Amino acid sequence: MPQFSFQQKVFLALLALVTIGFVWILAPYGGAIFWGVVLAILFAPIYRWLLQRTRNRAGLAAVLTLLLIVVIVILPLTLVSISIVNQAAAVVQMVQSGEITVAMFFNKLMAALPNWLVSLLDRFHLTSLEYLQAKLTEAASQVSKEVATRAINAGLYTFDFLTGLCIMLYLLFFLLRDGDKLAKRIREAVPLSRKYKQRLFQNFTTVIRATVKGNILVAIAQGALGGLIFWFLDVSAPVLWGVLMAFLSLLPAVGAAIVWAPVAVYFLATGSVWQGVTLAVFGVFVIGLVDNFLRPVLVGQDTKMPDYVVLLSTVGGMALFGLNGFVIGPVVAALFLAAWDLFVNASEFHTD
């Protein structure tokens, strides 16, 4: 083990302190910085292609790539968000006007269920509409308080969002233009041998690209198919449910079924047999197959991770880091597997 002098120890302590301080300063906009890095890695091949077409004018190529990201990523997300808000408001208005009543759906569902299931639900007080309404009222009260708090601070949240978006786009420009130089500096600063750094950095970029591209494509496909079948079956707010299925599809294996499966059960339980059968068949053999076929090809094949590792790391990552976790979780898992593989196969770590 190397012996450090007092001066070196002081410098290392100072290095650790200023690094922690710098990370602390950046923490409020960690999400914006994180997605700036992710988008830079994801669109780096397009930037390099544009760099060749613009005769190595790095600034112009970075601006063109940034405009492309705005057009194909940010604008569609904005339009979908507006549509979600409008459909959610329409659903709330239907409930307030009495067009949709909980009692009607509840009574239909209870009447269609078999006696043994009703008896089982009764043990947990789930057959009492009054009990469920009391629980829903309690939950709605908590949600209302949270919504009211956020509504009061709506201007602040909007300002923070716009600030984060501007920071992400500003950082993204420089990451695209100077990304190769920055990556080289980071590789040089990591105190590992070249072969270890090459393997770990390669895994890092590969997993980010595969996870983001794979999960996003699967989410778009499942959300679009789910919204389409809901529209065909005349379910209220198909865009809202489609987007919800897209977000939930980030959870491998279970994802979109959390939305469409209960609706199919409700259709069957209330006598709408053909709607229930159609939705169940479409959900299993169309929406489900998108996940079963596309995700392993787009995510598992590139990352070379087993499906169960992808599932557990995605769920765990989202539990810890929210939406960012669907990228952070698999990246940490891939680096974990790569580091242990290097340790097992590296002779300098083992002695006879």
Side-chain angles (χ1 to χ4, degrees), residues 219-285:
I220 291 174
Q222 289 195 311
L225 290 170
L228 182 63
I229 192 63
F230 272 37
W231 170 80
F232 177 75
L233 296 175
D234 200 25
V235 178
S236 300
V239 174
L240 176 63
W241 298 118
V243 171
L244 183 58
M245 278 187 271
F247 277 113
L248 290 173
S249 70
L250 296 175
L251 301 175
V254 291
I258 297 175
V259 177
W260 64 257
V263 177
V265 171
Y266 172 79
F267 275 138
L268 294 172
T270 54
S272 302
V273 178
W274 78 266
Q275 291 95 330
V277 171
T278 300
L279 182 55
V281 171
F282 190 87
V284 172
F285 293 104

Side-chain angles (χ1 to χ4, degrees), residues 13 35 46 117 142 150 169 182 294 341:
W35 282 106
I46 296 177
L117 184 54
Q142 297 295 328
R150 291 182 178 272
L169 294 175
L182 181 61
L294 282 184
D341 183 60

Side-chain angles (χ1 to χ4, degrees), residues 203-204 207-208 211 305 313 325-336:
N203 272 47
F204 178 78
V207 171
I208 283 185
T211 301
M305 290 194 298
S313 61
F326 88 88
V327 178
I328 297 175
V331 167
V332 173
L335 293 177
F336 168 81

Side-chain angles (χ1 to χ4, degrees), residues 26-75:
L26 297 180
Y29 295 102
I33 296 170
F34 171 76
W35 282 106
V37 173
V38 169
L39 289 174
I41 293 174
L42 194 62
F43 284 87
I46 296 177
Y47 165 75
R48 295 190 188 100
W49 182 82
L50 288 172
L51 188 62
Q52 295 177 351
R53 296 299 183 276
T54 56
R55 298 179 182 179
N56 293 323
R57 286 182 283 185
L60 179 58
V63 168
L64 293 175
T65 307
L66 205 60
L67 291 175
L68 183 65
I69 292 172
V70 170
V71 171
I72 69 175
V73 177
I74 295 176
L75 285 181

